[in-house]
Amino acid sequence: MAIRRIAIRLTLSFLLIIVIVSAIFSVVGIRFIGNRVVAEAKSKVEMDLNVAREIYDAKLGDIYDVVRFTADRFYLRNAVLTGDFEMASGELSKTFARERLDVLTVTDRNGIVLLRATNPYSVGDSRAEDVFVTAALQGKQPVSATTIVPADILQRECPDVAERAHSDLVETPGARPTDQVRETSGMMLKAAAPIFDSEGQVIGVIYGGLLLNRRYDVVDRMKETVFRGAVYEGRDLGAATIFQNDLRISTNYVDEEGQLGIGTRVTEDIYERVIAQGQRWIGSSFVVDTRYLAAYEPIRNINGEAIGMLGIGILEEPYLDLKRRTSLLFLAITLGGALLAICLSYLIARRLAVPVRRLVAASREVAHGNLDAKVEISPERELSEVAQAFNYMASALKARDEKLKEFTKKKIMESERLAVIGQLAADVAHEINNPLQGIVTYSHLLLEKTPAADSRSKSLEKIAKQANRCRTIIRGLLDFSRPRKPHKKASNMNSVLDECIALVENQAIFLNIEIQKHCNGGLPEIVVDPSQMQQVFLNMIFNAAEAMEGAGQLTITTRYDPVDQVIEVEFADTGQGISDANIERIFDPFFTTKEVGHGTGLGLAISYGIIREHQGNISVESEVGKGTTFVVHLPVTAKEEALVSG
């Protein structure tokens, strides 16, 4: 059961990782597939637009060639020179019918119409303002382009087809707002060529054109060339469209009701991009009621102005279906891989669960104190390394535990011994103190009564001196073992220092010592026992004097740290300094570097205990041969404590 739980937990852990990774890869993969499908579709529709443009330009080139070749015919030159158009009229009519043109007109060099193949009886009017006639006369070479022809000119040039240009504007979602309801002008592929006499002089112009409005052979050729009759779910896969401005005038797009989209308009964003800005537009758009992936580019007149658009579109639905199918396939592969990974992870987890359970059981035994617990070495390399490490750890813990027990036992015995010795020393010191007081007292009385010339006087002086030394040692031992509780009150450290310096500055040891004070006058008062502080400071001062052997400089500095709320009292001497080996022991009881008979080794220990009792600290820095600096750190206490009587 435990193995199964471990296997399930490991499997769930693997499952979480697999689900997260699979989800990330699914989202990224589906998005990548979708982007690639859309990118490929846009690339295809852009290439389709290039094909449509080639067909459009080829049609314009055909008209250009027909007009250019006709302008070189001898019968046309003779007719213009002689004014006899009987033969020319027949030939032009044949050319007009053969090329399926909508306009074929001849003018003289002044632009006066001499002959119209589409309307033989309409002559004599001036076409000098026609940009094609002007360009051919002035440039003396053929020209061709797309142009917009007003309704009155269409009526005069080709009355039989002028009605094709009339279109009612169909309300189209997304189209730009307009007050226009009907279009009567037409868009035409037009070419013009000069007519020369035998001496190369321009004697006239011939121009011809093809009205694109409701002329479906051009767009049908585009559609057939690009899509080759492809259908999708009963609808033509794609469509080609020629726009006059933003109006569909020739298209093979059929709506759901089977009607051509003549009279519908392109959306405003496409109009702004293609007509207003003169740039290509490629993307997804609604064509009346169906979404297409479409591409549009401007159709320009002879002056380079955008007057219409050429558009090619392919149904977006096939690509959306392809995107969905590909995404579902990718998702299915991802899920299948995830399920396979889950099954494999469960099998691996079950295989790993057994040695893991052994490791857990051994860990519990170690936690309960059984340091002899071992783990069986697993054949798997990784788990065998873990088992070996665990066994090594257990052995190390056992060895360390034994050492720790032995060390603890020694320390406890030592502490008990020191406690007994300390108590015994305190009791002995107390018992010795009373008879020692008598020895000190009577030795001084005998010394006073004994004349200086008496040989016993020197012996009595030695007795008195050594008795005084014993009393000092016992008093220090009693102070260290049974420190009295401090009697705290608000005090100024500068004042305490001044009293200490006043006590020592006239003593013989300080005659050759320069004491410099750098006291901060803005020190706040702190709650301390002033007598104990005086004891600490005097100990620091005397230690410094002894370290300098009665000659040097002692600098005493006080300062206040407002950030840490601490007052610092610094004692810096120019003595011999303290070695690194001794500096860590200077606060230990009975440790001293002075000669025998010149110190008890309790001064710094007692001072350190007093400062710790005041929640402070003492730090020391020293360099052999240069001096030592002691710094007493005392926290500022805002509230004065009640003086406790002894």
Side-chain angles (χ1 to χ4, degrees), residues 194-223:
I195 303 172
F196 298 98
D197 62 12
S198 58
E199 296 179 357
Q201 298 296 319
V202 177
I203 59 175
V205 173
I206 180 172
Y207 60 84
L210 181 71
L211 187 66
L212 293 172
N213 300 66
R214 290 187 171 86
R215 184 71 178 258
Y216 303 114
D217 56 334
V218 177
V219 292
D220 286 347
R221 184 179 176 187
M222 295 177 184
K223 175 183 174 183

Side-chain angles (χ1 to χ4, degrees), residues 55-126:
I55 295 173
Y56 185 89
D57 291 342
K59 190 63 178 179
L60 180 60
D62 290 343
I63 298 172
Y64 174 87
D65 291 338
V66 169
V67 172
R68 179 169 60 87
F69 291 143
T70 303
D72 292 336
R73 302 295 293 272
F74 73 93
Y75 66 82
L76 187 59
R77 181 187 312 129
N78 291 337
V80 173
L81 289 173
T82 63
D84 183 5
F85 288 95
E86 182 177 353
M87 179 180 178
S89 178
E91 292 297 329
L92 286 179
S93 296
K94 292 178 183 179
T95 301
F96 173 80
R98 183 177 63 252
E99 301 298 335
R100 298 181 62 193
L101 298 177
D102 294 318
V103 172
L104 190 60
T105 302
V106 180
T107 72
D108 62 15
R109 60 187 177 185
N110 295 317
I112 303 301
V113 175
L114 301 177
L115 176 65
R116 281 192 174 94
T118 54
N119 193 2
Y121 301 104
S122 177
V123 295
D125 56 301
S126 175

Side-chain angles (χ1 to χ4, degrees), residues 168-175 235 239-241 243 246-249 251-270 281 284-294 296 313-316:
D168 293 328
L169 272 65
V170 178
E171 184 176 351
T172 309
R235 296 191 64 178
T241 304
F243 294 84
D246 63 347
L247 179 69
R248 286 182 176 84
I249 60 171
T251 184
N252 39 44
Y253 163 75
V254 179
D255 62 19
E256 292 181 348
E257 297 178 356
Q259 300 296 322
L260 289 173
I262 299 297
T264 59
R265 299 161 60 215
V266 79
T267 57
E268 185 174 9
D269 58 330
I270 299 176
W281 186 97
S284 176
S285 68
F286 270 104
V287 179
V288 184
D289 59 359
T290 306
R291 183 168 287 280
Y292 278 76
L293 284 171
Y296 302 89
I314 186 170
L315 288 173
E316 188 177 31

Side-chain angles (χ1 to χ4, degrees), residues 16-27:
L16 179 61
I17 297 173
I18 293 169
V19 168
I20 293 174
V21 173
S22 299
I24 293 174
F25 274 89
S26 296
V27 171

